[in-house]
Amino acid sequence: GNSDVRRGMACGLSRVLIMPIKVVADESLHIDTAYNLSNKMMGISQNQDGTIKMRADDYETSLSNEGIDDEYYEYYYGLFNDGLKDSSMIDTPCEPYDAPQYQYIASAIGITIGRLLHLNTVLTFSLGRLFNMLLFIAMIYFCIKKIPFGKMIVMLIALLPMTLQQMASFSYDSFIIPA
């Protein structure tokens, strides 16, 4: 019921906040794809060569998946307080992943809201993760509500560490797993 949804949100939110952006495998590629869809939502056209335009701060971010230690965590959490420095749109060499765009709709909405509110990169990308997580929780909730048996199995799969890690990232697996 509602307590399960609250537990799912607590687990997911803790993952969204604990895992630094881009630390999940292939997350940069998924971010680029969601960003491309966000551009479409905002009426920003893709470059002729298929590459993506991004805010300068979002592209030039120092976020990484290497050297994750206590010092990096301290640096990363300090970024939550930084303001947006350069929101000008620049051409990047980034290309969207060749996957159905609807799988990135939730994270693209989060990125779009962050951009419209002029949030910094970490907050904008965290919103993308948060919206991806909320979609996952909603889909799992309705799946459990709808199926006549096996509800506990679906819940256990949803709470596996790898599943939680995927749903709290930009991965399209958060859309595929409950489907």
Side-chain angles (χ1 to χ4, degrees):
N2 288 337
S3 63
D4 292 333
V5 171
R6 285 193 296 272
R7 273 187 228 127
M9 289 178 71
C11 286
L13 190 57
S14 67
R15 291 284 179 145
V16 166
L17 295 175
I18 290 172
M19 291 185 316
I21 304 289
K22 295 189 178 185
V23 79
V24 177
D26 297 333
E27 189 167 34
S28 291
L29 182 60
H30 295 299
I31 288 171
D32 294 346
T33 308
Y35 209 102
N36 186 55
L37 186 54
S38 172
N39 280 348
K40 289 178 183 177
M41 291 175 179
M42 296 180 74
I44 300 168
S45 60
Q46 195 170 338
N47 293 328
Q48 295 247 337
D49 62 356
T51 57
I52 304 166
K53 294 177 184 176
M54 290 186 175
R55 294 187 309 187
D57 276 6
D58 298 340
Y59 176 68
E60 296 164 357
T61 182
S62 57
L63 299 175
S64 171
N65 65 352
E66 296 178 20
I68 308 299
D69 56 12
D70 291 344
E71 199 173 295
Y72 183 81
Y73 273 103
E74 189 175 320
Y75 163 75
Y76 176 74
Y77 290 121
L79 294 176
F80 278 87
N81 296 318
D82 283 357
L84 183 64
K85 293 171 186 67
D86 189 354
S87 63
S88 62
M89 297 299 287
I90 61 169
D91 292 334
T92 71
C94 303
E95 296 181 20
Y97 184 61
D98 187 26
Q101 296 291 293
Y102 65 85
Q103 295 173 340
Y104 293 96
I105 190 79
S107 49
I109 290 170
I111 289 174
T112 302
I113 291 171
R115 291 168 66 188
L116 290 172
L117 294 175
H118 301 287
L119 299 178
N120 69 29
T121 299
V122 174
L123 292 173
T124 296
F125 289 167
S126 293
L127 275 177
R129 279 180 161 185
L130 179 66
F131 275 69
N132 210 31
M133 177 201 74
L134 292 174
L135 175 66
F136 175 84
I137 291 170
M139 290 177 71
I140 288 292
Y141 174 79
F142 288 114
C143 178
I144 290 171
K145 201 162 180 70
K146 198 82 170 148
I147 62 174
F149 59 89
K151 296 174 188 287
M152 187 56 77
I153 293 170
V154 172
M155 186 64 166
L156 288 173
I157 291 170
L159 292 175
L160 287 172
M162 191 63 177
T163 307
L164 288 173
Q165 179 256 328
Q166 290 298 90
M167 71 106 163
S169 74
F170 275 85
S171 175
Y172 57 70
D173 288 340
S174 65
F175 188 87
I176 293 172
I177 291 169

